[in-house]
Amino acid sequence: MSSFIGKKEYFPGIGPISYEGPQSDNPLAFKFYNPSEKIGKKTMADHLRFAVAYWHSFNANGTDPFGAATIQYPWDGEKNPLAQAEMKADGAFEFITKLGTPFYCFHDVDAAPDAESVAEYEKNLQTVVAGLKARQAATGVKLLWNTANMFSHPRYMNGAATNPDFRVLARAAAQVKVGLDVATELGAQNYVFWGGREGYTMLMNTNMKREQEHLAKFLTLARDYGRSIGFKGTFLIEPKPMEPSKHQYDFDSATVIGFLRYFGLDKDFKLNIEANHATLSGHEFAHDLQVAADAGLLGSIDANRGDDRNGWDTDQFPTDVYQTTQAMLVLLGAGGFATGGLNFDAKRRRNSTDPADLFYAHIGGMDSFALGLRAAQKIIDRGLLKTYRDDRYASFDTGKGKDFEDGKINLKGLYDLAKSEGASIPATSGKQELLENLVNQVLFG
Ligand code: XUL
Ligand code: CO
């Protein structure tokens, strides 16, 4: 992929980022992510399918609840919103092609100016999308997913598909209809629903059952419309327990899987698991991935991390290689991505104000997942964890244990067996520390 430069170069002095290996002192080079290197049967690039997130990388300006913007973009000064969107699209494609990720993701209003009327909103978005399509064709960059922002505008303060006011639900549906047209036009591999305000803040004024039924109907209509216009991608739900809503209906993987199965949506919908959302719900990132994988519903990943000492969605770039190794173990165990990928739903810190910081942040995230991928593949190749894990369940492989798994023994049969076995069952070690040591040996050996 050669780098795309639009009307103007927005990241001057920074060329394409290449792999230079762990000894390199060049901060603008990959130390571990070597896209063409084979890991197992696939290249690193094909395993990891990295995407850049428009909202964090080309819109987020470092504001926090206590302070104003700290990060400026070259397009900030442009007063004409459509001209600004074009500049931003040029900047985005320059960044993405210099970094070398095969994919990107966006919300409607990250890329195009929002508007009150549906007609103007749609016109703005379609204008920008025509330009994005041309840039995709010129560069080979693909759309991993798009989505509709149905949480920032004040009309969505009580939710979108779960809003008690039907007019708001219909307005949200218009955004999703246009979003699916856009997904189809741009060949998106997935379409995402993150229910930022699909939840509630007070039970006494909320009919939870009715709201959840509305959400299911809404998603069903979206699925049917998408399929009717030829959208072949995967629909993804992104779980998150809270923030901005106090209680969000898509709390975690297990909750979403139950919801999808109950409403018969599990053939078209999968999950987009975000690391920091999993940790906010009290789980480890790998836990939520495994729950989704076990249900055959692991679709895609929003790569980031939280902060151990606070309980909100800090969206930091992933740098913790233990966490990426655990994540890649689950992903490889599940057979890897089909339509999904690793989207950096991550933002540089408020005080990382240089344009180069955007590169450092992504380089670090990509290197961390490359390290995780390498380690996970080594662990799998050496059969280390599998042997220990399989051995723990060996008593179910033969004899009465197998009969139990095969449904050939009833409760009385188990009772009789336990009675005849005598009183004491020897302790079997779970070998937790041994396994932790094995992971360190692979990582640093
Ligand atoms: C918010 C979040 C969103 C979704 C897309 O926490 O993760 O950016 O990924 O709406
Ligand atoms: Co996300």
Side-chain angles (χ1 to χ4, degrees), residues 10-14 17 27-28 95 348 352-363:
Y10 291 119
F11 298 93
I14 300 179
I17 308 299
L28 288 165
F95 177 78
R348 7 173 205 163
S352 297
T353 49
D354 292 342
D357 290 321
L358 193 58
F359 282 90
Y360 302 145
H362 283 86
I363 289 169

Side-chain angles (χ1 to χ4, degrees), residues 55 238 272 274 277 302 345:
W55 54 104
E238 184 175 322
N272 182 37
E274 177 163 325
H277 294 180
D302 268 9
D345 194 349

Side-chain angles (χ1 to χ4, degrees), residues 7 89 164 211 238 256 285 408 425:
K7 287 206 185 75
E211 290 195 5
E238 184 175 322
V256 173
F285 178 29
K408 290 183 183 153
I425 301 167

Side-chain angles (χ1 to χ4, degrees), residues 314-326:
T314 58
D315 280 344
Q316 288 166 252
F317 273 84
T319 51
D320 180 340
V321 177
Y322 287 99
Q323 219 180 66
T324 60
T325 302
Q326 302 288 340

Side-chain angles (χ1 to χ4, degrees), residues 55-56 107 145 147-149 151 192-196 238-240 242-244 272 274 277 302 304 313 315 343 345:
W55 54 104
H56 285 310
H107 299 82
W145 51 260
T147 185
N149 178 328
F151 43 88
V192 163
F193 290 90
W194 169 61
E238 184 175 322
K240 186 176 182 181
M242 65 197 85
E243 200 200 342
N272 182 37
E274 177 163 325
H277 294 180
D302 268 9
N304 62 17
D313 194 13
D315 280 344
N343 167 49
D345 194 349

